[in-house]
Amino acid sequence: MSDQVNKFLGDSLGRTLVKLLVVSLIVGFIMAVFGWAPLDFVYGVRNFILEVWHRGFSALGRVGDYLLLGATVVIPIFLVIRLFSYRR
């Protein structure tokens, strides 16, 4: 069992805990210097996803605008061509 835990952690349990404590202390200090909080990251990811969501639908709205604009020209031309070819 101990070998499986060591293999999973990459080192012994004690050494892994010491490494995690040191890295956590360094990261916590850097975050405190910049005034960051863990929830800032969560809200940042949330806002990013919402922004992509909203911009994506506005892009689809523009595609719909282009579709309608093109259809106002293409459909009458198509109908005229079909009417002239129908008489033959």
Side-chain angles (χ1 to χ4, degrees):
M1 178 79 168
S2 176
D3 289 336
Q4 291 176 345
V5 172
N6 288 346
K7 186 176 180 182
F8 174 74
L9 295 176
D11 208 347
S12 68
L13 180 62
R15 289 176 58 100
T16 301
L17 287 176
V18 170
K19 290 176 187 178
L20 288 174
L21 285 172
V22 169
V23 171
S24 295
L25 180 67
I26 293 170
V27 170
F29 175 76
I30 292 171
M31 287 178 68
V33 167
F34 288 108
W36 294 339
L39 283 179
D40 292 341
F41 293 111
V42 173
Y43 290 135
V45 169
R46 177 186 166 271
N47 291 336
F48 173 75
I49 291 171
L50 287 175
E51 190 68 26
V52 167
W53 181 269
H54 293 302
R55 288 186 189 272
F57 281 117
S58 68
L60 288 177
R62 284 193 304 264
V63 169
D65 292 343
Y66 296 152
L67 180 68
L68 289 175
L69 185 62
T72 58
V73 173
V74 171
I75 291 177
I77 292 174
F78 172 77
L79 291 174
V80 168
I81 290 172
R82 295 298 293 172
L83 284 174
F84 282 127
S85 67
Y86 180 73
R87 292 185 178 177
R88 290 183 191 179

